[in-house]
Amino acid sequence: MGKWRQLLGNVFEERVAYELPVSSQESLQRGHQGQRISHSNPEEFLDYWLHRAIDMRASDVHFECFKKRLVVRYRIDGVLKKITDVPNTLHSGLVTRIKLLAHLRLDERRVPQDGRFAFEHAGQSFDFRISVIPSYWGESVVLRILEHDDKTTGLQSLGASEEQAVEIDMMMNASNGMILVAGPTGSGKSTTLYAVIKKISSPERKVLTVEDPVEYQIDGVNQIAVNERVGMTFARALRAMLRQAPNVILVGEIRDKETAEMAIRAALTGHLVLSTVHARDTINAVTRLVDLGVPSYLIAATLRGILSQRLVQRLCPSCARPVPCDEDFLRRSGHGDPLPAGTVTCEAVGCEHCLRTGYRGRLAAYEVLPIDAGWREGIHDYADEDVLRQRFVQEGRKSMRESAIHHYLKGHSDLNQVRGIIAEVGVYASA
């Protein structure tokens, strides 16, 4: 600590004071009712905001430099919140401190850099994954918060219905083949895979994972981190893993043709392969593999099931307010099931437990597609998405839209969250 103080002390020749909320229990909307805080060095400045981010359940911390100010933002339950801004004279020392912790080059400000460091908070250990990129007024830094402790939970706790959980369990009982989880960045794909791995892991099944990065450590599971700087890519790790005789392989993401081909080869040679893919929904996941150059007959031969998902914010149980169900909106959204008279749902209010946002935590809206003989035939003779999508509708499968509506009717989420899902994925399942 003394060395860092000596190295960085000249950055803060003057003590800088600014306003910020008193504690993590204060509303994000009450920035004016604050406590006057001063920091004389970058260590104290950074430590304060990292401790506070963890207290506020943030997943990311953003430090962004502009002409006259340094903006601090947190991502909480998937939504970015501006916490405060401070004089940009704090920027240089802050970035230097972060680079020291993450073992990045201090003299490099022209190209992006990535790293990580460990951080202790209230007796728990956290990893902070660092991304530094150059911007016009100074380097922008984003820190992703990853807990060391295993926080995986069951699929129904994540948002799956009882029927969906049963279908997923049946898919995971396969001894070989490939199961994909589809969705955009930040849709909770990795959390779902961790829940599945935790459930199927046993002393009788050797499970290997290759991830970028290893987000949660699972006891009894061999986890490998991608390190492209030394040539440890997904594809290279997969080749090595096959010589370890695993029963189950988790590939963090299929992002290129080489990784897709290696995953397919592993699935064809008697392994159960779990992975994620960036795709809009279950049907679009097939299209994504075709676009990567995987022949449709290999996709048909190996796929055992596809999940796709989006996240909706969970209403805070301490302040959610009962309201009449908006049946007109549900009809316009294609929800055809009759509702009991006087059906009551809930809406967000806001209290000290949820930082005045009305939400606390998130739920997944799932779409589950087990691949049977009929689907394999359709994928083998792949024409376009519309053909497969029509089959999905005809089978009466539950879409992400309907899963979101289910959360709304149960009072777990509200109408605004359902609207967000419909705006993103549409209402094709009711077409």
Short mmCIF file of all heavy atoms in Angstrom, two decimals, residues 1-11 41 43:
data_model
loop_
_atom_site.label_atom_id
_atom_site.label_comp_id
_atom_site.label_asym_id
_atom_site.label_seq_id
_atom_site.Cartn_x
_atom_site.Cartn_y
_atom_site.Cartn_z
N MET A 1 0.84 -1.20 0.00
CA MET A 1 0.00 0.00 0.00
C MET A 1 0.87 1.25 0.00
O MET A 1 0.59 2.23 -0.67
CB MET A 1 -0.93 -0.01 1.21
CG MET A 1 -1.92 1.14 1.24
SD MET A 1 -3.13 1.00 -0.10
CE MET A 1 -4.14 -0.33 0.55
N GLY A 2 2.02 1.20 0.77
CA GLY A 2 2.88 2.37 0.82
C GLY A 2 3.48 2.71 -0.53
O GLY A 2 3.62 3.88 -0.89
N LYS A 3 3.83 1.66 -1.32
CA LYS A 3 4.40 1.89 -2.64
C LYS A 3 3.40 2.57 -3.55
O LYS A 3 3.73 3.50 -4.29
CB LYS A 3 4.83 0.55 -3.24
CG LYS A 3 5.43 0.68 -4.63
CD LYS A 3 5.91 -0.67 -5.14
CE LYS A 3 4.74 -1.60 -5.37
NZ LYS A 3 5.16 -2.89 -5.98
N TRP A 4 2.12 2.12 -3.49
CA TRP A 4 1.09 2.73 -4.33
C TRP A 4 0.83 4.17 -3.92
O TRP A 4 0.64 5.04 -4.75
CB TRP A 4 -0.20 1.91 -4.24
CG TRP A 4 -0.15 0.67 -5.06
CD1 TRP A 4 0.50 0.48 -6.24
CD2 TRP A 4 -0.76 -0.58 -4.74
NE1 TRP A 4 0.34 -0.80 -6.68
CE2 TRP A 4 -0.43 -1.48 -5.79
CE3 TRP A 4 -1.55 -1.03 -3.68
CZ2 TRP A 4 -0.87 -2.80 -5.79
CZ3 TRP A 4 -1.99 -2.34 -3.71
CH2 TRP A 4 -1.64 -3.21 -4.75
N ARG A 5 0.83 4.43 -2.62
CA ARG A 5 0.61 5.81 -2.16
C ARG A 5 1.72 6.72 -2.68
O ARG A 5 1.47 7.84 -3.12
CB ARG A 5 0.57 5.85 -0.63
CG ARG A 5 -0.70 5.27 -0.03
CD ARG A 5 -0.66 5.39 1.48
NE ARG A 5 -1.83 4.76 2.08
CZ ARG A 5 -3.01 5.34 2.20
NH1 ARG A 5 -3.19 6.57 1.75
NH2 ARG A 5 -4.02 4.70 2.76
N GLN A 6 2.95 6.21 -2.62
CA GLN A 6 4.07 7.02 -3.10
C GLN A 6 3.97 7.26 -4.59
O GLN A 6 4.24 8.35 -5.10
CB GLN A 6 5.38 6.32 -2.75
CG GLN A 6 6.63 7.10 -3.17
CD GLN A 6 7.89 6.36 -2.79
OE1 GLN A 6 7.83 5.29 -2.20
NE2 GLN A 6 9.03 6.93 -3.11
N LEU A 7 3.57 6.21 -5.34
CA LEU A 7 3.49 6.31 -6.80
C LEU A 7 2.37 7.21 -7.25
O LEU A 7 2.51 7.99 -8.21
CB LEU A 7 3.29 4.91 -7.39
CG LEU A 7 3.14 4.81 -8.91
CD1 LEU A 7 4.42 5.28 -9.59
CD2 LEU A 7 2.83 3.38 -9.31
N LEU A 8 1.24 7.17 -6.54
CA LEU A 8 0.05 7.86 -7.03
C LEU A 8 -0.27 9.14 -6.25
O LEU A 8 -1.18 9.88 -6.61
CB LEU A 8 -1.17 6.93 -6.93
CG LEU A 8 -1.07 5.65 -7.74
CD1 LEU A 8 -2.28 4.77 -7.46
CD2 LEU A 8 -0.96 5.95 -9.21
N GLY A 9 0.48 9.41 -5.19
CA GLY A 9 0.13 10.54 -4.34
C GLY A 9 0.12 11.87 -5.07
O GLY A 9 -0.67 12.76 -4.75
N ASN A 10 1.00 12.03 -6.07
CA ASN A 10 1.07 13.32 -6.75
C ASN A 10 -0.16 13.59 -7.60
O ASN A 10 -0.35 14.72 -8.04
CB ASN A 10 2.32 13.39 -7.63
CG ASN A 10 2.32 12.32 -8.70
OD1 ASN A 10 1.59 11.35 -8.57
ND2 ASN A 10 3.15 12.49 -9.72
N VAL A 11 -0.99 12.59 -7.86
CA VAL A 11 -2.19 12.81 -8.66
C VAL A 11 -3.20 13.64 -7.88
O VAL A 11 -3.97 14.41 -8.44
CB VAL A 11 -2.81 11.46 -9.08
CG1 VAL A 11 -4.10 11.68 -9.84
CG2 VAL A 11 -1.81 10.67 -9.93
N ASN A 41 -6.60 9.85 -1.94
CA ASN A 41 -5.78 8.97 -2.78
C ASN A 41 -6.67 8.02 -3.56
O ASN A 41 -7.83 7.78 -3.20
CB ASN A 41 -4.78 8.19 -1.91
CG ASN A 41 -5.47 7.35 -0.87
OD1 ASN A 41 -6.16 6.40 -1.20
ND2 ASN A 41 -5.30 7.71 0.41
N GLU A 43 -6.62 4.77 -3.89
CA GLU A 43 -7.02 3.54 -3.21
C GLU A 43 -8.36 3.71 -2.49
O GLU A 43 -9.26 2.88 -2.63
CB GLU A 43 -5.96 3.10 -2.20
CG GLU A 43 -4.63 2.73 -2.83
CD GLU A 43 -3.63 3.85 -2.76
OE1 GLU A 43 -3.99 4.99 -3.11
OE2 GLU A 43 -2.49 3.60 -2.34
#
